[in-house]
Every structure is written in structure tokens, then in C-alpha cells.
Amino acid sequence: MEFKPKLELKRWDFKIEDQVRSWWEKEDWWKFDPNSPKPKFVIDTPPPYPAPLWHIGAAVSYAMHDMIARAMRMMGYEVLYPIGFDRNGLPIELYVEKYLGLTPWKTDREKFLETCRQVLDSWVEKMKETLKRLLIAADIDNPYQTDSPDYRAFTQATFIEAWKKGLVYEAERPNNWCPKCRTTIADAEVEYKEMKGIMAYIKFKVKDSDEELVIATTRPELLCACRAVVVHPDDERYKKYHGKKVIVPIYGHEIPVLPHKMADPNFGTGAMMVCSFGDWRDVQIFRELGLTPVKAIDEEGKMTECAGPIAGLKVKEAKMKIVELLKEQGYLVKVEDIVHKVPVHERCETPIEIIPMKEYYLKQLEFKDVLKKYAEEMKWQPERYKKNLLQWIDSVSTDWPISRRRFYATEIPVWTCKRCGYKYVPPPGRYYRPWKEDPPIDKCPKCGAREWEGEKRVFDTWMDSSVTVLYITKYMRDEEFWKKTFLEGVKLRPQGYDIIRTWLYYSLLRVHQLTGKRAFDLVFINGMGLDPKGKKMSKRYGNVIMPEEILNKYGADATRFWIALEVKPGENYRVIENKIQGAQKFLTKFLNVARYVSSFPYPEGRVELREADKWILAELAELIEKVRKAYAEMDFHTVAEEFYHFVWDKFSSHYIELSKKRARMMDERFDEEDAKAAWWTLHTVLKNLLLILAPISPAISDYLWRRLYSSESVHAQRLPEAPEEWRDEATLEKGRAIMELNSKVWKAKKEVLGKKLSDPVTVEELKSAGVELPELGGFEEDFMALHNVVRG
């Protein structure tokens, strides 16, 4: 009998991935059916922000989310897996300003917005193609976009609902302010960066005395706003000054010396300048002591008129100038160069200032306890990231400022009556642009006036992003769909650990405020992609690895298998190309295993299995049990690792070798019935391996499945479950002992006896080489045939 492979390919050609993807585009197994009787699984897929450069780390996270979607479909769920793009906010504005030269405050607003939109459109098209090349099984051509009129109308509708519930208010209070972006930012958008600075030691004259207090400060430019000096109550050096007054150098106003526990005796000289809006500690002390603040820095980051000789200067210039003046006038003791942590805006890394501004706020303090309860109730992968959310919730100390003084974002749907100041908030249902259009009301319901001031401010982009799960489940738009997906489905949030305090936190807050429900049941956290040296990828460092570079060399299946094998949930990982190349070689190895198996027919009916067949099925049963558990826990690393070792170390290296002569009937000890048992086992194992591999490397698994077993996609099948009769611990032990014996025989023939592995060898020769053959039981004929062992 001639055994010719049904598969002709000897090396996996990733160009076939395009062909396989075209099959999927014509099929419906991946499309969400809300009327399906299957339980629903909702993935609140992170909508990426479009960018001209999209590095490999982003591609890795979306490939992992697709693995989740595919695995859950094969585990019996109807999966809602949408693709979206988060297009609102500062990044596009900063790009247009820097590279296209359009300053938002000096450009016609409509023209500026249209330019932003066009640039985003071009970026989105490139990103769509990358997602397709990653073999993402979703409706990539019809994504939702957070800057679409439909989405913005939805964001506005959720704001209107919060307004009606009394959760929104307007107030003037100190806020984090980015002088470069000219907007208020929330605490969650502030990062701390180590920067070079100075520590100036300044002499303050004690009133009615010849004494001087020396105060160390990193912000001498705020002397004009200094309204008190505080010292720690227990600091013996300064107890005699409690209640006395000192005179502020250059400006000459008198301020009190007060004891306060927030003064650090170990910082500088232990005496601390309290300046209005110097930092949040200053703000707190001002409130506690009832001091009257002054505004020393304006919205452009320049010193105001109250700064006297340094008025009009940028903060950095003002700092140097005031030090120069202090030195000239004899107030400066010394200046030290220091490195300290400075609060910066995460978007542009500009040091922030604290400036009092009138903004809209969303209440959040009263919801901290329920959000902590939700954090505990959700299942985390990995569990340790739960503490990140809990720590952030504990740190929240003010309500969320949700208004921004920018342009490319969802407008706040509010009009203010010019006569009486009444705030008109319209009914939900359409997209409102108050800066451009009149309100849908004839006259003010409070005073009857007809002149309105349309709101020019926009929402913080997290106001849009925080309701993605409600948008995709059609909250307020399709009650039946929302019931089946949000209320009855399992809801997953996959995301990076760096936005736990923003996207995850704000989503939990907003969904609870709007629905009274917990937003998610599961949270999957992915790590960050680093370059081969372990450094964060950044355009600034020139070390960004583009996904196209990898896909053009190795294809998506190999890239995805590398992702699963190397990237553990929640862990940072290095992108090392030779490991991706190794994944590609493994898939070629697997292809050749499939090619070998395709040489044999797949017997129908009952076959009489040999001991080796029973052993590999017992190994397969153990593999299936492990990977089903790992898939349920979204642990693809374990799946890939177990799959790799099974294929390489057990199936290919041992079972195929043990059964090869039997399968090919190359030994007189075996007849066709013996061969059929091997054929059936080979195909049964391969079929199950294709099902296991499908969520990770979807193209090669589907291609092989359709060529060998079915015209229906492998992705329309269920993950395998091992029959009970395959589970046999005793057979497992015997088979693993045979694996060890195989290795000993191969080593003895090659290294001790100087034979080829195919050469005949006697029992006595093996014994002389240190290999004593035990009782082989049901493995004997396969073992003796494999090693060409002859007796006598």
C-alpha cells in the first residue's frame, strides 16, 4: 500500500493567511447573533487611539483579545466582539498643531476640527489593515468611532442623564492645569517625572527683630503668592517663632509663622513657604488656615501682574530671574541643583500648575465604597492587579473635573441664559454643538429671555471612553439587546495595567451611576511590550518595532503563537525577533506532522488500539484538560506551552516514531488492523490538536482542518473534551517510562555503539551499552520495531 501525503506543503507559507481570511469574510461563524440560545460573552474591546505609528505592543494586546473571542466561541458562547477607535482628545490636536501648524486658538474651529478628522481617517485605514493582517475575526470594516455623531450623541445622553440625577455641578476651584494644552486635567492624567531643578535657600527677616529665618524652596518664583510660613509643631528650632511675622523678600508683605503638622522638619531647613496653588499641599493648608489666595500664574503658564518684577515671564524664566534678584538684594543664601519628582501632564509631559478655574464636575467621592466592592467582586487575570484599582479608589479625594478647554472632543450640551444664568440642558437623542447652534428651546424657562451663550468647553475624553461597554450593548437604544448582552451576559474588560486608574475606574464609576450595575464580571490585564534590551518602546528613543515589520517576515500565525508562548497575562515582555522566528519554525514542524498524518486514511468504525495508542490518548486527555482550564482563565501562555511540549516532546518525538513502522506496515509483526489503529490514533490526535491551536494560530489550523476533515471552519467547532476511556494513569506512567527508555536507546546507539539510529541492535549490545530492557508489556512490538532490536 502506498502512503502519499494529502498535504503537499512542506513549509507553512504565511501568504495563505490572506486566503484563509477571505474565507472568514464570507462566513458567519464569527458574527454576533443576539437571538442565539447560547450564553452571551461581551468583550469591551479597547478602542485604540489612531496614531501614525502603532507599535508591536499594541498589536500583541489585540491579538490576545482575539484569542479570547475565538476561545469563548469554541467554548459555547455567543461572543460580542466589537472593534472601535477612540478618536477624541488631545493627541490629534497636538499632532495637527505640531506637524500641520494649525494652532487651535488661532484657527477657525470648524477648519481645525475637519483637519483633525481627515488625519484620523488616514490613520484608521492603516490600523484596520494591521488588524486584518493579525487575523482578528471581527467586523473591522465597520468599527464604532467615538467622534462619530452617533457616539457623541450617546456620550451627551449619558451626561444629560447624570445631570438629571444631580451628579453634575459647576464650580470654581483649583485644578490641575496644563499650560501647553491650556486645559484642566484630572488627577488620573497626572504623572510624576524626575526632572532637574533647584533648591533656593532664602532669608526672611523676622519682624521687629534682627533675626532671620532661612527657608528652602524649589519654587522661588512663587514668593509673590507666599501667605504663610509653616513649621512642624514639635520642631524645637522654631517654637519661639510660632505666631510671629516675617517679611517676604522683594515683595515686602508680612506673613505669619504658624505650626502645622504638614511641615517636614527634614526637608530643606524645616521651615516651609505656603504659596497659593504652589502644589496640592499648599492648597490644603490654605483651606485649613483660611488664607486668601492670589493667582500668580495664568493659563498660558506666565507670571501674572502680582509677580511684580518677574510678571509676564514663563515659569522657568521667572525662577531664574527671581534667584538673580534675590542674590542682588542679599536675600539668597545658596542655590543647590537637585533632581526631584515633578507632576506632569501624561499627554505632553509638561509640568502642570494649579490654577483656579470654573469647570463642570462629576460627583465620585460618594461612590468609592461601592466601587471597591465591585473591584473585589470581579475576577481578575492576573489577580494581583486588583490592588492597583483599590489603591487608586482610596486615593481619590476630589470630584472629577469633566470639562476641557479644547476642541476635538464631544461638546458639553449646555446653554446658559445671558440674562439670568439659567443652565439649559436639552433632551437626549441627537448630537448637540452648543458653540455653533442655538438651543432647541424658544426662551429661558426661568426668565423668558431669548439670548443664550452656547457652551464652548468639551468633555474629558474619558467621558466618552468610560461608556464603551454601554454603547456596544446598546444601552438606552435597544432594550432587548441590552438585556441579552449587558444584563444577562458575561462581560469582560481586557486592557493594559497603565489605564486601570482611568479607563477601568471611570467605566465602573459611570456605569454604576447610570445603571446601578457593576460594569464587568472579568478583567484581563495585559503587560507592556519592551524592546530586546527591556526598554519601553518610544518614538523618542527610536526603538519602536512596527507590527508590519514582524508580519512581513513571519506572518500572523507565527507572531500569535510567539505571543501566546512568551507573553504571560499582566507581565511585561521583550520583543525578541529570533523567538518569533522560533515560533515560525515550530509551526512548520507542526505542518510536517500534519503532512505525515495526512498520508494515512482515517478509518471508520471500531479499531483495536495498541498500548502506545492508548498512551498518547491518555496524554492527549491530560493536555485537553489543562488547555480547557487555561482557555477558561484566558491564560494563553499555558495553552501554548502545553501544546508545544505535547507536539514536540511526546507526539512527534515518541508516538509517531513508535507507531511509524506499524502505520506504514513496514514490519512483518503488523497487519492492516494494527495499522488502522495507528491511523485512527494519528488522525484523532491531530484533529484535537487543530481544535486546541485554533484560537492562537487561526489560519494554519483552519487551513489544515478544511483540507483534512471538514468544509466547515475549525472555528465553528467546539473545543475538545476528552472521553473518560482515554484517561488512564497506569498507561500514562508506562508510556512515560517508554519515552525515557527511547532516549536511552537512541543515546546508546549513537554515542556508545557508534550505530545509526536505524541500524539493528541486539539486546546484548544494548546491555553492554548500559541499557537494560525491562518488561515492555503492550509496548514491546512497537518499541522493538522502532529501534530495530533483534534478540539473540
Side-chain angles (χ1 to χ4, degrees):
M1 185 181 292
E2 184 181 2
F3 300 106
K4 186 178 179 181
K6 190 175 179 179
L7 294 172
E8 296 176 0
L9 279 178
K10 293 183 180 179
R11 183 180 181 84
W12 175 243
D13 182 356
F14 64 78
K15 293 176 182 176
I16 297 173
E17 293 171 357
D18 290 336
Q19 176 188 345
V20 175
R21 192 179 72 207
S22 71
W23 297 344
W24 302 339
E25 289 171 355
K26 298 170 187 174
E27 297 168 345
D28 63 0
W29 53 265
W30 56 271
K31 296 174 184 174
F32 180 70
D33 178 9
N35 298 315
S36 165
K38 298 176 184 177
K40 309 301 184 291
F41 193 93
V42 177
I43 302 177
D44 188 17
T45 325
Y49 199 93
L53 292 176
W54 208 41
H55 72 62
I56 188 69
V60 166
S61 62
Y62 284 88
M64 294 179 80
H65 305 158
D66 181 68
M67 292 177 201
I68 295 172
R70 291 177 182 273
M72 293 305 163
R73 289 190 195 105
M74 295 183 73
M75 294 182 79
Y77 286 98
E78 189 70 27
V79 178
L80 177 60
Y81 175 46
I83 297 296
F85 291 95
D86 186 6
R87 295 169 38 128
N88 288 316
L90 276 168
I92 184 58
E93 293 193 45
L94 297 177
Y95 179 90
V96 168
E97 190 173 355
K98 182 176 180 179
Y99 294 103
L100 301 184
L102 295 183
T103 304
W105 298 278
K106 300 176 183 178
T107 306
D108 174 74
R109 185 164 182 168
E110 197 66 81
K111 179 184 177 182
F112 183 78
L113 296 180
E114 182 57 31
T115 303
C116 291
R117 194 174 296 112
Q118 290 172 359
V119 174
L120 287 167
D121 286 344
S122 66
W123 292 347
V124 163
E125 289 309 309
K126 282 181 62 179
M127 292 172 71
K128 283 182 183 177
E129 189 54 38
T130 301
L131 289 170
K132 289 179 180 179
R133 292 195 62 191
L134 283 166
L135 303 177
I136 305 298
D139 192 0
I140 296 169
D141 288 324
N142 296 290
Y144 72 84
Q145 301 189 129
T146 60
D147 64 344
S148 68
D150 179 65
Y151 196 103
R152 285 184 170 174
F154 180 71
T155 297
Q156 290 179 339
T158 63
F159 167 82
I160 292 165
E161 190 169 340
W163 180 277
K164 290 177 181 176
K165 291 182 175 183
L167 297 173
V168 179
Y169 62 93
E170 188 180 32
E172 181 170 355
R173 59 176 58 163
N175 276 300
N176 301 309
W177 179 267
C178 176
K180 181 177 180 179
C181 301
R182 295 195 192 182
T183 187
T184 297
I185 61 173
D187 289 345
E189 298 170 83
V190 176
E191 292 182 344
Y192 286 83
K193 182 180 178 183
E194 286 201 340
M195 303 180 77
K196 292 180 180 179
I198 63 166
M199 179 83 81
Y201 289 76
I202 304 168
K203 292 185 287 188
F204 282 61
K205 183 172 176 15
V206 180
K207 186 180 178 182
D208 299 328
S209 168
D210 293 331
E211 292 184 88
E212 294 174 331
L213 278 185
V214 177
I215 296 171
T217 178
T218 60
R219 303 214 60 180
E221 72 277 11
L222 292 179
L223 274 171
C224 63
C226 182
R227 290 298 178 266
V229 170
V230 296
V231 294
H232 196 276
D234 299 329
D235 192 334
E236 294 292 338
R237 294 173 295 175
Y238 299 113
K239 282 189 175 181
K240 66 179 181 178
Y241 297 109
H242 292 184
K244 290 190 175 183
K245 291 192 175 182
V246 293
I247 301 168
V248 177
I250 295 178
Y251 297 95
H253 55 274
E254 299 175 5
I255 59 174
V257 178
L258 303 171
H260 199 284
K261 61 184 178 182
M262 290 185 72
D264 182 357
N266 300 311
F267 179 82
T269 63
M272 169 184 155
M273 253 179 27
V274 181
C275 305
S276 44
F277 317 125
D279 59 24
W280 284 107
R281 183 173 55 176
D282 286 339
V283 172
Q284 184 177 338
I285 295 174
F286 258 75
R287 286 174 182 163
E288 288 182 14
L289 299 179
L291 302 173
T292 302
V294 295
K295 186 175 179 180
I297 300 172
D298 67 14
E299 289 80 1
E300 294 183 28
K302 294 180 179 179
M303 304 305 296
T304 63
E305 288 301 315
C306 74
I310 57 171
L313 295 179
K314 292 277 191 180
V315 169
K316 190 173 182 180
E317 298 166 340
K319 191 188 299 283
M320 295 299 104
K321 181 65 176 176
I322 199 73
V323 167
E324 183 182 316
L325 292 173
L326 288 166
K327 185 176 181 181
E328 289 175 0
Q329 297 181 32
Y331 294 115
L332 188 67
V333 177
K334 63 177 178 176
V335 175
E336 294 176 345
D337 292 327
I338 62 168
V339 174
H340 60 150
K341 287 188 175 180
V342 176
V344 300
H345 185 191
E346 65 175 359
R347 294 289 188 187
C348 62
E349 298 192 345
T350 300
I352 65 161
E353 298 295 344
I354 299 171
I355 293 180
M357 301 291 291
K358 183 176 279 191
E359 302 290 4
Y360 286 102
Y361 292 85
L362 182 69
K363 294 179 182 179
Q364 60 180 350
L365 298 179
E366 62 199 72
F367 300 102
K368 290 174 65 170
D369 287 343
V370 71
L371 297 184
K372 289 169 76 171
K373 173 175 169 284
Y374 289 161
E376 295 287 356
E377 291 173 350
M378 295 185 298
K379 183 178 179 182
W380 294 73
Q381 173 62 297
E383 173 76 13
R384 69 178 183 277
Y385 280 104
K386 177 171 64 178
K387 75 176 187 302
N388 293 45
L389 178 58
L390 291 170
Q391 287 170 354
W392 175 252
I393 294 171
D394 281 336
S395 75
V396 171
S397 60
T398 59
D399 287 333
W400 174 17
I402 58 173
S403 50
R404 299 290 180 268
R405 295 164 192 273
R406 294 296 301 196
F407 302 93
Y408 202 82
T410 301
E411 291 88 346
I412 299 175
V414 175
W415 284 262
T416 303
C417 175
K418 287 186 176 181
R419 181 192 292 174
C420 71
Y422 173 78
K423 299 285 185 182
Y424 172 72
V425 176
R430 72 171 181 87
Y431 174 36
Y432 297 101
R433 307 175 82 189
W435 60 272
K436 186 180 181 181
E437 62 190 54
D438 293 328
I441 189 172
D442 289 333
K443 58 185 179 180
C444 174
K446 185 175 180 182
C447 72
R450 297 179 184 274
E451 290 191 34
W452 299 90
E453 180 72 30
E455 183 58 67
K456 295 181 176 63
R457 286 170 292 178
V458 297
F459 285 125
D460 177 354
T461 187
W462 293 112
M463 282 289 285
D464 300 285
S465 308
S466 60
V467 291
T468 50
V469 70
L470 295 179
Y471 183 81
I472 65 173
T473 54
K474 302 187 179 182
Y475 174 67
M476 295 197 296
R477 291 164 297 146
D478 186 331
E479 189 173 343
E480 188 62 25
F481 190 96
W482 186 64
K483 178 184 175 185
K484 290 178 179 179
T485 53
F486 187 93
L487 294 180
E488 298 175 358
V490 176
K491 300 176 294 299
L492 166 71
R493 163 57 64 81
Q495 65 166 74
Y497 61 75
D498 55 324
I499 51 174
I500 288 175
R501 67 179 188 175
T502 49
W503 195 32
L504 180 56
Y505 168 77
Y506 287 138
S507 297
L508 291 170
L509 172 69
R510 296 261 278 134
V511 170
H512 173 77
Q513 288 178 337
L514 293 164
T515 71
K517 308 289 183 184
R518 187 182 68 231
F520 308 108
D521 304 289
L522 309 170
V523 179
F524 175 86
I525 301 296
N526 47 264
M528 183 182 295
L530 310 174
D531 73 6
K533 296 179 180 179
K535 191 174 183 179
K536 180 180 177 180
M537 291 188 204
S538 169
K539 182 181 175 183
R540 189 185 312 138
Y541 305 142
N543 63 344
V544 174
I545 299 172
M546 304 292 288
E548 290 79 12
E549 296 174 36
I550 301 300
L551 294 172
N552 289 342
K553 286 184 182 180
Y554 307 107
D557 271 341
T559 302
R560 290 171 62 119
F561 192 82
W562 161 77
I563 291 168
L565 194 60
E566 292 292 328
V567 182
K568 296 180 180 179
E571 299 283 347
N572 290 343
Y573 55 92
R574 299 186 186 194
V575 181
I576 301 174
E577 194 169 325
N578 63 13
K579 291 195 173 185
I580 304 173
Q581 188 177 37
Q584 184 188 49
K585 290 178 179 177
F586 173 75
L587 289 185
T588 290
K589 169 75 172 178
F590 181 67
L591 171 68
N592 283 302
V593 167
R595 186 171 183 272
Y596 169 76
V597 175
S598 77
S599 303
F600 308 110
Y602 197 174
E604 296 181 5
R606 186 173 178 78
V607 294
E608 194 66 39
L609 299 177
R610 290 246 174 173
E611 199 68 13
D613 307 327
K614 294 176 182 176
W615 161 67
I616 198 63
L617 291 175
E619 294 281 9
L620 179 62
E622 186 174 270
L623 173 68
I624 289 171
E625 185 176 346
K626 288 179 179 178
V627 299
R628 284 188 67 89
K629 181 175 183 291
Y631 269 134
E633 294 175 351
M634 300 171 287
D635 178 5
F636 308 107
H637 171 74
T638 294
V639 175
E641 196 172 51
E642 293 291 339
F643 182 90
Y644 180 95
H645 288 303
F646 179 91
V647 171
W648 196 278
D649 299 334
K650 297 174 184 176
F651 188 49
S652 173
S653 299
H654 290 277
Y655 176 75
I656 286 178
E657 295 301 321
L658 277 169
S659 63
K660 188 174 286 183
K661 290 184 177 177
R662 174 158 55 99
R664 290 179 168 171
M665 293 187 290
M666 295 171 60
D667 192 294
E668 61 186 11
R669 283 174 275 208
F670 307 117
D671 59 21
E672 188 169 342
E673 291 305 309
D674 294 322
K676 283 182 178 180
W679 302 343
W680 183 90
T681 304
L682 286 165
H683 278 287
T684 298
V685 173
L686 179 60
K687 277 186 73 174
N688 281 274
L689 290 177
L690 290 173
L691 292 166
I692 290 169
L693 181 63
I696 293 173
S697 296
I700 188 173
S701 54
D702 205 15
Y703 177 82
L704 296 176
W705 179 269
R706 297 194 203 219
R707 287 295 308 275
L708 298 179
Y709 300 119
S710 174
S711 59
E712 186 180 52
S713 174
V714 69
H715 303 289
Q717 316 304 314
R718 298 290 289 270
L719 280 176
E721 295 186 62
E724 194 57 42
E725 60 265 26
W726 290 2
R727 305 173 193 275
D728 189 330
E729 286 297 324
T731 301
L732 269 180
E733 287 184 23
K734 285 191 285 184
R736 289 170 183 175
I738 292 295
M739 287 171 63
E740 288 185 24
L741 189 59
N742 283 340
S743 298
K744 288 179 181 178
V745 172
W746 285 324
K747 184 176 181 180
K749 289 179 81 171
K750 184 178 178 181
E751 298 180 8
V752 181
L753 300 174
K755 291 176 178 283
K756 296 178 183 177
L757 298 185
S758 59
D759 288 345
V761 64
T762 65
V763 173
E764 288 73 18
E765 285 179 307
L766 287 175
K767 188 174 182 180
S768 71
V771 180
E772 188 96 36
L773 294 186
E775 177 63 41
L776 298 171
F779 286 90
E780 181 164 350
E781 290 184 335
D782 283 329
F783 180 87
M784 302 296 264
L786 164 62
H787 296 293
N788 202 0
V789 179
V790 293
R791 296 190 181 276

